[in-house]
């Protein structure tokens, strides 16, 4: 292994190494603080390693991984969100369970899986990364053994993710049977652009189904609300942010190398998934009274919007999608921070009714929560708006460039956003309910710990910053992403 | 020195911010210092700058200060730029000085009001916006000020918001002027499209080259701008809001609805005079609107019994004189009348406020009388204002400014005898209704006893304004009465002078005629309302005069007409259209969304077997697309 390869791989090594270190630490002390501290240190070190690796260009590390700027960008993003989620996990676990060591090991392993996904260049690495995430998440979702809902969520995720992985593997096997390779680049040269035979297309379609499961694209979204609801709040946060961002990075990379996106059949598949997700997500959320389930449906819809940018392709599509995720992740992180901070021992504060009167009792929290929700809804002055704007822009440019099908996608985006606004604003409306003194929901009276306040402040500021001054971030993203298209 | 010009609008804005956010924590005394103080400071800076402008004028008699770049897009660059030239110097001085006096007066007038700091916050905001309007170098800054003063007008008319009719009056003022504002905005768009800039000097310089005289685009632009001016200055056909605007506190009426905001239309036309010079038809229309408005409003003023409504109709009428002057191309005469009118009409309103105050909110002049002895300071100052309004010859400012307009209407190449005749008849009517008011309020037997006398905070501004009303006219006198031309030569650097000059003999003859009209009006008022009051009342009780009186009282029934022409059809349409098809579409969308929500929710059974089946079905669907596509 050369020095360059080592530098490039260092973030992944550090993440995996943190998991190992945590195992060893458990032998010495089971202190929650020490465990969480080691985790944070590992993630911070990985973040530093990312910045050190950035200056060098794309570096192939074995046949499995290609660590380029795109991969590092996503790894850095995942590590940042991971740091926030670690703090949340610390707050959540403290006082709820004494067995904390395994949690952080699984958490770090899942994060390492995400980093592998973001840089994989081979179906084997893809599978490895995916399973690192999935297997860790089964256990994490069911981590509170005293909570039947958590156990149920873990079980559902285990079975369904197993099905999805099987389908994905079968798709990869079909491709291997047809071309004799599982490396993305080799597949890309072997498959003539736009001309796929049924075997290839079926293989890709099965892979897409597996990816669709992870991204909760309709009709593979059925599991999402149940798992979101049952899993502990920080784990739900992990499923909603890190696992999706990593899988989406893989999707972008795979289809940038394998030129099948424009094939009519695959285009139809992706367009169907996008439109179905946008409508299913937004419609299902309408009357939902559980905040976690609302977030599940919201993520279904948001992944549908993201697919539009993905379908448009080219640098503009990749930049739009990456910016969209960059704005989407802190918004979700902030919401899960609030959810975690205001949750009680017995159950998470995941009913919308738990937030009734928040604006009167805790105006600052209500303001931050509103900003985050409005960003998910894509209202101006938030990063969500800029993200949605760029997604719509790429869709419209693609439509004008000669693919009229994009008009339908952009239309779905517009109509879906309008429908979705209803349930976001319904939550904001609950903040302004008047509750008689002494009968407020317990959640809104709880103290927000300092760590949560910091995470919440930073993520809210990030959302606003991306909404008001998106220029710097856009420039940075386009610098990092354009490497692919040179 | 000129570089301090930004302070002039900023200081009142700062006062507004301070009072709006900290006002309720401040003691009244502090509010009474901050409110007038901000405007006083602004006036001081404005006067200093004006002094330098007179002593050592900047190159080309114009000074520009760009505070920052406001809009910079590909085709259009707009700076936040202030502009100082003789026109804005005159406007700025009058606004700040009269505004300051009215603020001082209001500290006493509003002393017992619970919204004390709110009142001064709005007033400061108004002064700031009005200064932006007149100091703006481009039409966007002007428009910002234009809308700002409209907003303040709305807020202050409805200041005593607990009475629903005050709110209705505020709404009416806002909506009616808004009709004109829309025309103005379209006019601005037209200018942007034509010239690619909003800078007023650039537009004025480019217009004569781009448009021939009478070109359709020039006429359209001038008419649209006129629409805005007509709304803001309460001219026909949008004059109906001003009498109702008297629902606001009296200092508001004096500042906004007499001295400053309502003259914004006059300012706009004067500022963009080159456009109107290219559209002779539109310019003639300005004159006709002015003449018709001044007569209609003067007649209406004759029949009013509410002291403030008399003054409101009088304001409409005097603004008509200014429009008449603009219509005959006598730009400086219009501005001259603006200045003197600001002095004497602010004075009259403040005097009326003092009367109403001491009579415990009595506004009906038929229940007043004999106040001459009980309120001497108010009487003498009010008399000075009344003489100026009636244009009593030689000794009042109103005489010199009105005389200049009448003379211009006669001699101007674009004027005519009809316009002059309307002005002369208006002068007679003005004298008549003014002294009807003076005789009924101050002379004759006492009907309502006043409570106390106004203090110095009210009387000192009255006296200063009375002096200005009497002496302010000597900066511009006709050729046969000294021939002082300070005002017109100063403004001549910004506005073109009148093309024609008449002989001094003609001028003297016209003055004699208007003197006869004015004195005749005063004499008739004396006969009708002091000597033979009972006979007048009996005559007015007869059917025919009574019907005419009622028509005039209702302002010629414009409200009635508009109610039937516009309001009721609109309300009817809105009622009919309540359940329209557009709404049905959206309701249908909502219902369909809920139905689909219900259907999709069935899939969320929570049942693992079903979820696995769902996943399999999804995979089969994808494969079907591959196979059948």
């Amino acid at each position: 292994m050369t020095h360059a390869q080592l530098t490039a791989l260092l973030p992944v090594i550090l993440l995996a190494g943190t998991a190992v270190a945590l195992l060893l630490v458990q032998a010495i002390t089971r202190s929650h603080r020490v465990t969480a501290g080691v985790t944070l240190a590992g993630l911070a070190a990985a973040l530093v390693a990312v910045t050190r690796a950035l200056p060098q260009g794309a570096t192939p590390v074995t046949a499995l991984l290609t660590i380029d700027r795109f991969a590092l960008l996503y790894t850095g993003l995942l590590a940042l969100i991971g740091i926030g989620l670690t703090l949340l996990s610390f707050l959540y676990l403290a006082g709820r369970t004494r067995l904390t060591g395994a949690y952080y090991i699984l958490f770090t392993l899942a994060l390492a899986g995400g980093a592998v996904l973001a840089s994989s260049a081979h179906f084997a690495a893809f599978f490895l990364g995916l399973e690192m995430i999935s297997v860790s998440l089964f256990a994490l979702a069911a981590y509170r053994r005293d909570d039947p809902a958590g156990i149920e969520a873990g079980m559902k995720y285990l079975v369904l993710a197993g099905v999805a992985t099987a389908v994905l593997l079968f798709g990869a096997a079909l491709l291997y049977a047809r071309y004799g390779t599982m490396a993305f680049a080799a597949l890309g040269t072997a498959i003539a652009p736009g001309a796929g035979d049924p075997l290839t297309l079926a293989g890709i379609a099965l892979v897409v189904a597996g990816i669709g499961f992870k991204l909760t694209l309709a009709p593979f979204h059925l599991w999402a609300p149940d798992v979101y609801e049952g899993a502990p709040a920080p784990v739900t946060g992990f499923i909603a942010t890190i696992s999706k961002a990593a899988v989406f990075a893989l999707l972008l990379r795979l289809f940038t190398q394998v030129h099948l996106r424009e094939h009519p059949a695959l285009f139809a598949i992706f367009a169907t998934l996008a439109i179905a997700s946008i409508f299913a997500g937004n419609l299902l959320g309408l009357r939902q009274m559980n905040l976690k389930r609302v977030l599940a449906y919201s993520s279904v819809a948001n992944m549908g919007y993201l697919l539009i940018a993905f379908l448009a392709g080219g640098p503009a599509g990749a930049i739009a999608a990456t910016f969209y995720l960059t704005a989407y992740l802190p918004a979700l992180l902030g919401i899960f921070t609030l959810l975690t901070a205001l949750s009680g021992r017995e159950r998470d504060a995941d009913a919308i009714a738990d937030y009734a009167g928040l604006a009167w009792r805790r105006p600052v929290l209500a303001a931050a929560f509103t900003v985050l929700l409005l960003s998910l809804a894509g209202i101006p002055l938030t990063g969500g708006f800029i993200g949605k704007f760029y997604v719509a822009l790429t869709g419209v440019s693609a439509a004008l460039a000669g693919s009229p099908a994009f008009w339908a996608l952009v239309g779905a985006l517009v109509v879906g956003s309008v429908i979705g606004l209803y349930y976001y604003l319904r939550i904001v409306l609950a903040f302004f309910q008047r509750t008689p003194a002494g009968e407020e929901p317990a959640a809104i009276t709880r103290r927000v710990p300092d760590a949560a306040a910091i995470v919440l402040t930073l993520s809210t500021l990030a959302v606003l910053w991306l909404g008001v001054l998106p220029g710097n971030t856009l420039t940075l993203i386009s610098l990092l992403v354009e490497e692919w298209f040179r | 020195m000129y570089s301090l010009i930004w302070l002039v609008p900023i200081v009142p804005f700062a006062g507004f911010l301070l009072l709006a956010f900290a006002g309720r924590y401040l003691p009244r005394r502090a509010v009474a210092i901050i409110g007038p103080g901000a405007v006083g400071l602004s006036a001081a800076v404005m006067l200093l700058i004006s002094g330098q402008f007179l002593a050592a004028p900047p190159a080309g008699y114009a000074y520009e200060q760009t505070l920052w770049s406001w809009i910079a897009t590909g085709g259009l660059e707009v700076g936040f730029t202030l502009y100082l030239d003789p026109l804005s110097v005159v406007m700025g001085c009058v606004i700040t000085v009269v505004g300051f006096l009215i603020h001082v007066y209001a500290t006493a007038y509003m002393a017992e009001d619970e919204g004390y700091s709110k009142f001064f916050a709005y007033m400061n905001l108004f002064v700031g916006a009005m200064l932006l309007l007149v100091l703006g170098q481009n039409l966007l800054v002007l428009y910002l000020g234009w809308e700002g003063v409209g907003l303040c007008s709305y807020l202050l008319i409805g200041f005593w918001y607990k009475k629903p009719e005050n709110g209705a009056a505020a709404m009416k003022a806002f909506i009616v002027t808004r009709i004109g504002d829309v025309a103005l905005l379209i006019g601005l768009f037209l200018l942007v499209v034509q010239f690619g800039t909003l800078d007023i000097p650039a537009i004025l310089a480019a217009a004569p080259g781009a448009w021939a005289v009478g070109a359709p685009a020039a006429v359209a632009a001038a008419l649209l701008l006129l629409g805005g001016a007509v709304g803001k200055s309460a001219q026909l056909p949008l004059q109906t809001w001003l009498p109702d605007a008297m629902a606001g506190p009296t200092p508001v009426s004096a500042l906004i609805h007499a001295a400053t905001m309502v003259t914004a239309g006059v300012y706009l036309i004067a500022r963009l005079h080159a456009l109107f010079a290219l559209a002779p038809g539109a310019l003639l229309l300005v004159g006709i609107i002015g003449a018709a408005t001044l007569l209609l409003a003067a007649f209406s003023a004759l029949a009013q019994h509410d002291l403030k409504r008399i003054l409101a109709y009088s304001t409409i009428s005097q603004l008509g004189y200014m429009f008449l002057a603009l219509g005959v191309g006598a730009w400086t005469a219009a501005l001259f009348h603006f200045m003197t009118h600001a002095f004497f009409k602010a004075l009259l309103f403040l005097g009326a406020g003092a009367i109403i105050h001491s009579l415990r909110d009595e506004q009906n002049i038929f229940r007043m009388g004999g106040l001459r002895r009980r309120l001497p300071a108010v009487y003498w100052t009010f008399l000075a204002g009344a003489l100026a309004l009636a244009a009593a010859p030689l000794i009042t400012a109103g005489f010199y400014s009105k005389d200049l307009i009448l003379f211009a209407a006669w001699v101007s190449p674009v004027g005519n005898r009809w316009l002059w005749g309307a002005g002369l008849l208006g002068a007679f009517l003005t004298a008549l209704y003014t002294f009807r008011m003076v005789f009924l309020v101050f002379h004759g037997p006492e009907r309502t006893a006043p409570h106390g006398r106004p203090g110095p905070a009210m009387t000192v501004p009255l006296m200063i304004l009375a002096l200005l009303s009497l002496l302010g006219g000597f900066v511009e006198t006709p050729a046969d009465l000294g021939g002082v031309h300070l005002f017109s030569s100063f403004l001549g650097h910004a506005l073109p002078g009148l093309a024609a000059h008449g002989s001094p003999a003609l001028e003297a003859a016209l003055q004699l005629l208007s003197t006869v009209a004015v004195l005749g009006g005063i004499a008739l008022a004396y006969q009708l309302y002091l000597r033979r009051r009972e006979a007048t009342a009996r005559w007015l009780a007869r059917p025919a005069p009574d019907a005419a009186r009622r028509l005039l009282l209702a302002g010629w029934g414009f409200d009635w007409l508009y109610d039937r022409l516009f309001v009721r059809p609109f309300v009817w349409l809105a009622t009919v259209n309540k359940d329209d098809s557009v709404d049905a579409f959206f309701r249908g969308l909502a219902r369909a969304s809920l139905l689909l929500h219900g259907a999709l929710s069935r899939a969320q059974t929570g049942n693992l077997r079903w979820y696995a089946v769902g996943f399999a079905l999804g995979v089969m669907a994808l494969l079907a697309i591959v196979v059948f596509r």
Side-chain angles (χ1 to χ4, degrees), chain A residues 64-216:
Chain A
L64 298 183
L65 301 176
T66 302
I67 298 187
D68 48 16
R69 289 186 181 152
F70 177 85
L72 289 168
L73 170 67
Y74 273 85
T75 308
L77 213 53
L78 298 185
L80 260 181
I81 300 294
I83 289 174
L85 285 175
T86 308
L87 287 170
L88 295 197
S89 306
F90 179 79
L91 296 174
Y92 189 86
L93 294 180
R96 283 190 180 82
T97 174
R98 298 176 61 79
L99 296 168
T100 53
Y103 181 95
Y104 294 95
I105 298 168
L106 292 167
F107 183 92
T108 325
L109 271 177
L111 204 55
V116 169
L117 268 183
S119 32
S120 49
H122 195 278
F123 268 108
F126 175 14
F127 178 73
L128 255 173
L130 204 62
E131 285 306 278
M132 276 167 88
I133 293 185
S134 298
V135 175
S136 310
L137 282 180
F138 307 148
L140 285 178
Y143 200 78
R144 288 185 66 185
R145 278 173 292 171
D146 53 337
D147 181 9
I151 308 276
E152 183 189 326
M155 283 305 287
K156 278 183 177 158
Y157 193 64
L158 169 70
V159 174
L160 293 171
V163 174
T165 311
V167 169
L168 188 147
L169 269 182
F170 189 60
L174 287 183
L175 290 176
Y176 183 73
R178 175 74 176 74
Y179 296 103
T181 177
M182 294 221 273
F184 296 165
L187 280 172
T189 43
I191 303 174
D197 53 295
L199 195 60
T200 316
L201 291 177
I204 293 282
L206 292 178
V207 171
V208 169
I211 292 174
F213 173 85
K214 285 283 176 203
L215 291 181
T216 63

Side-chain angles (χ1 to χ4, degrees), chain A residues 156 159-160 163-164 167 201-202 205-206 209 213 219-223 225-226 264-265 268-269 272 280 283-284 286-287 297 419, chain B residues 589-590 592-594 596-597 600-608 610-612 614-619 621-623 625-626 629:
Chain A
K156 278 183 177 158
V159 174
L160 293 171
V163 174
V167 169
L201 291 177
L206 292 178
F213 173 85
F220 309 116
H221 66 288
L222 292 170
W223 61 275
D226 291 10
I269 284 180
T272 312
L283 287 169
L284 278 167
L286 283 182
R287 288 243 161 126
Y297 294 133
I419 300 173
Chain B
L589 198 66
S593 296
L594 283 180
L596 285 169
H597 165 78
L600 283 169
S601 294
R602 297 248 170 96
Q604 302 291 341
T605 55
N607 201 324
L608 186 54
W610 160 243
Y611 286 2
F615 187 86
L617 288 176
V619 172
L622 294 197
L623 288 175
I625 292 177
V626 167
R629 187 68 207 220

Side-chain angles (χ1 to χ4, degrees), chain A residues 234-291:
Chain A
V235 177
T236 310
F238 193 101
I239 298 173
T241 54
I242 292 181
S243 117
K244 289 202 174 169
V247 174
F248 197 83
L250 178 109
L251 182 71
L252 274 176
R253 178 188 294 279
L254 175 60
F255 281 90
T256 305
Q257 300 203 324
V258 180
H259 305 280
L260 276 177
R261 194 164 11 194
E262 296 80 12
H263 190 280
L266 278 174
F267 188 91
I269 284 180
F270 281 118
T272 312
L273 289 177
I275 293 176
S277 304
I278 291 171
F279 280 107
N282 285 318
L283 287 169
L284 278 167
L286 283 182
R287 288 243 161 126
Q288 187 47 250
M289 298 310 290
N290 183 295
L291 185 58

Side-chain angles (χ1 to χ4, degrees), chain B residues 225-299:
Chain B
L225 296 172
L226 175 60
V230 159
K232 211 58 151 185
S233 291
Q235 297 293 292
L236 272 176
L238 298 178
Q239 84 286 20
T240 56
W241 64 271
L242 190 56
D244 287 353
M246 297 299 121
T250 305
V252 173
S253 312
L255 178 61
I256 301 185
H257 303 119
T260 55
M261 183 190 85
V262 286
T263 59
V266 179
Y267 169 78
L268 180 73
I269 295 176
R271 182 51 97 194
L272 296 170
H273 57 87
L275 294 180
F276 284 85
L278 293 174
L283 196 58
L284 180 63
L285 186 61
V286 174
I288 292 173
I289 286 177
T293 311
L294 85 88
L295 284 179
L296 288 180
F299 272 115

Side-chain angles (χ1 to χ4, degrees), chain B residues 151-518:
Chain B
L151 170 72
C152 295
S153 166
Y154 166 80
L155 291 171
L156 286 164
I157 294 171
F159 185 75
W160 288 316
Y161 58 91
K162 284 176 187 161
K163 271 195 182 169
E165 60 262 36
N166 292 352
M171 210 114 81
K172 183 175 176 185
F174 196 74
I175 293 169
V176 174
T177 51
R178 187 126 286 264
I179 297 169
D181 293 356
V182 172
L184 173 62
L185 191 59
I186 299 173
L188 298 194
F189 290 149
L190 184 68
L191 291 177
V192 173
V193 170
Q194 289 284 333
F195 297 106
T197 177
L198 282 169
D199 293 358
I200 295 168
I203 290 175
L204 293 187
W211 286 333
V213 172
V219 175
L223 286 179
L224 287 166
L225 296 172
L226 175 60
V230 159
K232 211 58 151 185
S233 291
Q235 297 293 292
L236 272 176
L238 298 178
Q239 84 286 20
T240 56
W241 64 271
L242 190 56
D244 287 353
M246 297 299 121
T250 305
V252 173
S253 312
L255 178 61
I256 301 185
H257 303 119
T260 55
M261 183 190 85
V262 286
T263 59
V266 179
Y267 169 78
L268 180 73
I269 295 176
R271 182 51 97 194
L272 296 170
H273 57 87
L275 294 180
F276 284 85
L278 293 174
L283 196 58
L284 180 63
L285 186 61
V286 174
I288 292 173
I289 286 177
T293 311
L294 85 88
L295 284 179
L296 288 180
F299 272 115
S300 282
L302 271 178
Q304 304 300 317
H305 46 67
D306 181 314
L307 183 53
K308 284 181 71 181
R309 282 181 89 89
I310 298 174
L311 292 174
Y313 277 109
S314 158
T315 302
I316 299 177
S317 176
Q318 298 303 309
L319 288 164
Y321 272 107
M322 296 178 213
F323 270 65
L324 175 62
L326 295 170
V328 299
W331 318 109
T332 45
L335 264 293
F336 189 34
H337 198 56
F338 149 74
M339 185 178 83
T340 59
H341 175 256
F343 297 149
F344 65 71
K345 191 52 68 63
L347 166 62
L348 288 172
F349 265 114
L350 296 188
I355 296 165
I356 293 165
H357 212 50
S358 62
L359 295 185
R360 299 273 155 88
D361 295 331
E362 178 59 63
Q363 301 202 6
N364 189 336
I365 53 171
F366 287 98
R367 290 195 211 114
M368 303 173 186
L371 292 175
R372 181 170 40 131
R373 282 174 301 275
R374 301 292 294 271
L375 301 171
V378 179
Y379 173 66
W380 289 108
T381 52
F382 198 90
L383 188 64
L387 285 170
L389 171 59
L394 303 181
I395 52 162
T396 64
F399 168 73
Y400 294 103
S401 58
K402 199 173 279 181
D403 181 65
L404 194 58
I405 293 174
L406 291 177
F407 178 63
W410 183 281
V411 301
S412 165
V414 291
N416 60 51
R417 302 287 156 350
W418 289 103
L419 295 178
W420 173 81
L424 189 68
L425 179 55
F428 169 73
L429 292 170
T430 308
L432 181 58
Y433 71 68
T434 308
F435 277 86
R436 167 179 176 263
M437 178 169 67
V438 171
F439 291 140
L440 286 175
V441 173
F442 290 102
H443 294 261
E446 186 178 296
R447 287 184 178 77
T448 311
H451 302 266
R453 287 186 178 183
M458 285 164 103
T459 51
V460 171
L462 288 177
M463 287 171 193
I464 297 174
L465 284 170
L467 279 180
L468 288 170
S469 302
L470 294 178
L471 306 177
F474 292 115
V475 293
E476 180 79 21
T477 59
D480 58 334
L481 294 172
V484 180
H485 293 300
L486 290 175
F487 192 81
S488 58
S489 62
F490 179 58
L491 271 182
H493 298 293
L495 297 168
L498 198 58
H501 289 285
S503 66
L506 173 67
E507 204 162 354
L510 294 179
Q511 279 158 13
L512 205 60
L513 277 175
S514 65
T515 303
V516 169
V518 167

